[in-house]
Amino acid sequence: MSVVTRSAAPAASPQIRQVTVLRDIFDPVGLDALPWERWEEPGRVGVDLHRLYVTDGTEAGAAMITRMAPGAHGDLHEHLGHELILVLEGELLNDNGDRYRPGDLVIERPGSVHRVSTETGCTVLGVRHAPTRLVS
C-alpha cells in the first residue's frame, strides 16, 4: 500500500487543503506497512489502530483502521453518534450474533450499545461521527 499526503489548491479556490490517499487498502501486505499503535483502554484486548484523523470539539469524531488479533475484543460501549465500519479482512463478530466479513459495511446508530470481537482476527475501517461511552 502506498500512502500519499500532499497539499493541493483547487483551481477555483485560493485555499490550500491537505489530501491523504491510502492506495490498495484491501491488500494485507500494504496494511502491514502502516504505523500501528496499541489501543489501550479498559475492556479492550488485542487491538491495534492506525489513526486517519480526529476532529476537534466536544463531539469529536474520528476515522481509523483497526486491527484485531485472533481472540481480541473491544469494550462494551454506547455510540453517541453514527459509526460506520467496513470490514477489510477477517471476520468481526457483534455481540448480537451478527458476523461481518470482508466487504460488509455496518452502520451503528446513535444510542446503540454493543461489543465486538473476533475469533480469527480482522481489520476494519471505522468512522465515528462522535465519541463512544463505556458501558459498565
Side-chain angles (χ1 to χ4, degrees):
M1 172 191 309
S2 61
V3 178
V4 179
T5 302
R6 64 183 172 84
S7 296
S13 171
Q15 295 179 337
I16 301 293
R17 61 185 177 100
Q18 288 289 330
V19 177
T20 300
V21 177
L22 277 68
R23 298 198 188 279
D24 301 320
I25 195 166
F26 288 101
D27 180 357
V29 174
L31 288 171
D32 288 341
L34 290 175
W36 295 94
E37 62 184 271
R38 178 62 60 172
W39 191 342
E40 301 283 350
E41 261 182 21
R44 189 172 298 276
V45 175
V47 182
D48 294 330
L49 69 105
H50 173 78
R51 295 176 203 274
L52 299 170
Y53 67 79
V54 177
T55 61
D56 296 328
T58 57
E59 294 299 314
M64 63 195 85
I65 299 175
T66 306
R67 178 172 274 176
M68 300 175 73
H73 61 80
D75 54 0
L76 181 63
H77 60 275
E78 175 186 3
H79 288 274
L80 303 179
H82 286 87
E83 178 182 58
L84 179 143
I85 299 170
L86 174 63
V87 180
L88 302 175
E89 61 181 11
E91 183 178 64
L92 181 67
L93 308 176
N94 197 328
D95 63 355
N96 68 2
D98 289 346
R99 292 177 176 266
Y100 311 122
R101 294 178 179 87
D104 287 349
L105 180 67
V106 182
I107 300 170
E108 294 282 346
R109 302 208 184 307
S112 65
V113 176
H114 73 136
R115 178 178 172 173
V116 295
S117 63
T118 181
E119 296 168 351
T120 60
C122 68
T123 303
V124 303
L125 168 67
V127 179
R128 290 181 174 169
H129 291 240
T132 61
R133 177 177 30 230
L134 188 64
V135 175
S136 51

